[in-house]
Amino acid sequence: MQERVLTGVGVGRGIVVGDVRRMPDPLPEPAQVNSTLGPDAELARATSALGETAQDLRERGAIAGGLAQEVLDALAMMADDQMLVSDVKNRIDRGATAERAVFDAFAGFAAILTMAGGYMAERAGDLGDVANRVIAKIMGVPAPGVPQSDVPFILVARDLAPADTALLNFDIVRALITTDGGPTSHTAILAREKGLPAIVGAKSAEVLVDGDLVLVDAAAGEIILHPSAVRIEAGLAEAEARKAARDSATGPGRLADGHEVQLLANVGSAKSAAAAVEAQAEGVGLFRTEFLFLDSDTAPSIAEQAEQYEAVFAQFPGKKVVVRVLDAGADKPLSFLTDAGEENPALGRRGIRALFAHEEILRDQLTAIAQAASKTQAHVWVMAPMIANAEETKKFVALCTELGISVSGAMIEIPSAALLADHILAEAAFVSIGTNDLTQYTVAADRLLGTVADLQDAWNPAVLKLIREVGRAGVATSKPVGVCGEAAADPQLAVVLIGLGVTSLSMSPVALGDVRAELGRYTLAEAQALAEKVLTARNAVEARAIVAGR
Ligand code: PEP
Ligand code: MG
């Protein structure tokens, strides 16, 4: 069979050969027709499907264990919920079919959760997933979700729901291809974190069917359908060569000419900090502190916070740990801090804006960080998310100084902040660019929305031009400019970022080896020349092609 090349956005550097298994497409909405079976028969169909779904989820949870079990048990409880079951019964009594009654009852429940805001609202999406499993059982069609298999395969899906990703068995799923979703989608972030080769946003992968043999080259963003024996051999040899390059690149980050580039890790808890140490991170470039706050109705006390921070700081004696103060709002709502009534929360009172509006929470957090820092040997820096201008920076830095933190800075996530980076750096000790948000605000495309995923690409020269402004401001003031968004974990983009004046890169620990190896292939002058060239591209695709064809 003729080879065919399909393309998308690659995540990671792996090369994998295997057979395709497709995830079933989502079910269509059940028709709104009156039942012809009668209420008793419909109720029997609904209740047995609800019960079987709950049992199924629990059984799969027990097999998976750990975090996946928690996720699946929570989903099983939704299918068992008595209020929901009686709502389904009432709808059936009024003439609905079992599938329609389940669909409407779950939708009503999801709407209530959404209105409650915060953590409850986040669970609303999971309800849709459970409803689909129940409806599939009623209809006798395959359940949506990752296919069950004992032999390894390459998973092809439109995109993955959180309940699917929690369940992925990485011994069986060797690579991931999605037709929707972009490089900052939940799925791409998970793949990067787990070191799973993936190609996202590959529209042409719609043609793939179960059993197709494919070669996935994540670094090239290519899927070769029906690869020849020669191609497979060359691909596997290249995979070995990449692995050898990664394994031999050790120690601190540096370019081919010895120019130093600090390679840091993104962490979110004491446990992930241990993974960072293992991967030879030179410190932490982004300590996300949301985990402490997300499941509670009130902010944790200073003592509780200090204990958790100390557990992270203690793992990096003599090294830098950059703590980000609480970044609530938009994709991370918090009932006691953010306003659930905002129509457009990504443009609302989020990040530092929410903290300035509740200054006591910010003061407590800074106090806890300072206390924890004083008990360890880590060099603790603190930064604020969603800074828009120099005035906000000045206010934040003054608060940090007052509460005993001597090195404080700003995240650059808003285009206005990138363009005013020189003024921001006049106030701050350093800046760190959050390319996930910077990209979403530059192209005006919600980072969580699959329908606009093709726009959410940090290779977009518009994003890179903003980063160049920040790099220039860093050079002019001789202050550090980091990148801590997903872009830093893309080895080729990392080279471009260094060429634009970035001085450190922070990423999920699993990406450190590949980035370290790629940086070692370029001198600073080469990285700068490459960055200049990339800035002339018309779009992200052209920008990638310039680096690939170097
Ligand atoms: C970013 O926006 O790039 C970033 C690092 O922050 P988060 O992804 O947590 O919003
Ligand atoms: Mg951000």
Side-chain angles (χ1 to χ4, degrees):
M1 258 185 281
Q2 194 70 26
E3 272 193 0
R4 188 166 162 200
V5 181
L6 313 171
T7 57
V9 175
V11 176
R13 303 274 294 159
I15 298 180
V16 172
V17 180
D19 289 333
V20 160
R21 288 288 303 270
R22 281 201 80 104
M23 192 141 109
D25 280 341
L27 298 169
E29 184 177 321
Q32 217 154 5
V33 289
N34 276 343
S35 163
T36 51
L37 300 176
D40 289 347
E42 295 289 7
L43 188 61
R45 295 169 77 215
T47 44
S48 74
L50 283 161
E52 281 172 32
T53 304
Q55 192 182 343
D56 227 45
L57 289 165
R58 287 205 175 90
E59 279 170 15
R60 289 168 67 182
I63 294 168
L67 185 63
Q69 181 164 18
E70 282 174 35
V71 172
L72 292 167
D73 281 350
L75 296 182
M77 271 168 63
M78 292 178 180
D80 273 345
D81 187 273
Q82 279 318 304
M83 231 172 70
L84 216 136
V85 175
S86 68
D87 189 8
V88 169
K89 182 173 182 315
N90 288 340
R91 289 171 192 276
I92 287 176
D93 285 343
R94 291 200 299 271
T97 60
E99 41 276 66
R100 186 71 210 188
V102 167
F103 180 85
D104 286 337
F106 274 81
F109 199 12
I112 294 171
L113 290 188
T114 305
M115 270 166 46
Y119 176 79
M120 301 295 261
E122 284 179 49
R123 301 280 71 78
D126 296 343
L127 268 179
D129 183 54
V130 179
N132 276 330
R133 287 172 196 274
V134 178
I135 294 168
K137 277 226 188 298
I138 297 173
M139 294 169 61
V141 298
V146 179
Q148 302 291 299
S149 168
D150 296 331
V151 285
F153 63 89
I154 292 176
L155 180 64
V156 179
R158 274 181 203 282
D159 205 355
L160 295 180
D164 299 320
T165 52
L167 260 187
L168 281 187
N169 175 347
F170 299 104
D171 293 330
I172 298 291
V173 177
R174 304 287 318 286
L176 198 63
I177 298 170
T178 67
T179 52
D180 297 350
T184 53
S185 65
H186 168 76
T187 310
I189 292 174
L190 175 103
R192 192 168 283 120
E193 242 174 54
K194 301 288 181 192
L196 182 70
I199 312 269
V200 297
K203 297 250 176 302
S204 52
E206 293 283 8
V207 300
L208 297 175
V209 295
D210 279 3
D212 275 344
L213 181 70
V214 293
L215 180 151
V216 173
D217 182 344
E222 284 181 353
I223 304 150
I224 317 288
L225 173 59
H226 310 311
S228 65
V230 175
R231 170 85 74 163
I232 291 175
E233 198 178 324
L236 295 178
E238 173 65 19
E240 277 301 309
R242 282 184 198 167
K243 186 172 176 310
R246 189 176 57 226
D247 291 348
S248 65
T250 53
R254 54 183 78 240
L255 300 181
D257 55 7
H259 178 83
E260 289 176 11
V261 178
Q262 235 178 23
L263 293 181
L264 307 162
N266 291 355
V267 306
S269 63
K271 197 164 150 223
S272 58
V277 174
E278 175 116 346
Q280 301 176 25
E282 293 168 59
V284 172
L286 169 63
F287 174 15
R288 290 185 167 102
T289 55
E290 291 77 43
F291 78 103
L292 259 174
F293 296 79
L294 279 180
D295 284 339
S296 44
D297 300 330
T298 54
S301 69
I302 293 177
E304 279 169 320
Q305 291 188 52
E307 189 187 330
Q308 302 275 353
Y309 301 147
E310 194 186 330
V312 173
F313 300 167
Q315 299 187 53
F316 297 95
K319 292 188 175 155
K320 176 165 106 178
V321 178
V322 184
V323 189
R324 175 176 74 187
V325 292
L326 181 58
D327 182 20
D331 52 317
K332 315 170 191 104
L334 266 187
S335 56
F336 57 89
L337 195 57
T338 50
D339 176 1
E342 285 179 349
E343 279 197 18
N344 228 334
L347 303 180
R349 209 185 232 183
R350 60 166 297 198
I352 195 64
R353 303 170 187 177
L355 287 174
F356 281 155
H358 295 85
E359 203 178 294
E360 70 292 351
I361 294 180
L362 176 57
R363 282 180 170 272
D364 283 358
Q365 188 176 20
L366 292 174
T367 306
I369 294 168
Q371 273 182 13
S374 71
K375 292 191 187 149
T376 72
Q377 302 301 313
H379 302 304
V380 175
W381 298 12
V382 177
M383 65 184 179
M386 297 299 294
I387 288 280
N389 53 42
E391 290 72 28
E392 286 177 355
T393 312
K394 187 171 179 182
K395 185 171 167 181
F396 178 70
V397 170
L399 258 179
C400 288
T401 310
E402 180 195 327
L403 297 169
I405 291 160
S406 54
V407 186
S408 51
M411 283 189 77
I412 305 286
E413 304 186 276
I414 306 180
S416 66
L419 294 170
L420 297 173
D422 50 348
H423 297 296
I424 288 175
L425 271 171
E427 304 292 343
F430 70 97
V431 291
S432 181
I433 306 172
T435 46
N436 308 336
D437 276 313
L438 183 61
T439 305
Q440 92 160 333
Y441 293 122
T442 303
V443 299
D446 185 337
R447 62 191 265 193
L448 299 180
L449 205 58
T451 48
V452 291
D454 52 340
L455 289 166
Q456 298 148 5
D457 193 336
W459 279 90
N460 185 321
V463 177
L464 298 178
K465 283 185 177 177
L466 288 169
I467 295 175
R468 176 179 57 180
E469 289 305 308
V470 187
R472 281 180 175 162
V475 171
T477 54
S478 301
K479 289 184 177 174
V481 173
V483 170
C484 61
E486 289 298 306
D490 174 335
Q492 282 151 339
L493 187 49
V495 174
V496 174
L497 295 173
I498 299 306
L500 292 172
V502 166
T503 56
S504 69
L505 299 166
S506 190
M507 64 203 77
S508 119
V510 70
L512 282 164
D514 284 331
V515 171
R516 190 183 286 120
E518 189 69 9
L519 291 179
R521 298 178 56 215
Y522 295 79
T523 63
L524 182 60
E526 284 167 350
Q528 286 167 338
L530 194 62
E532 273 311 308
K533 247 194 193 166
V534 166
L535 289 178
T536 64
R538 280 157 52 97
N539 53 42
V541 174
E542 274 189 29
R544 277 195 178 82
I546 288 172
V547 177
R550 172 183 94 109

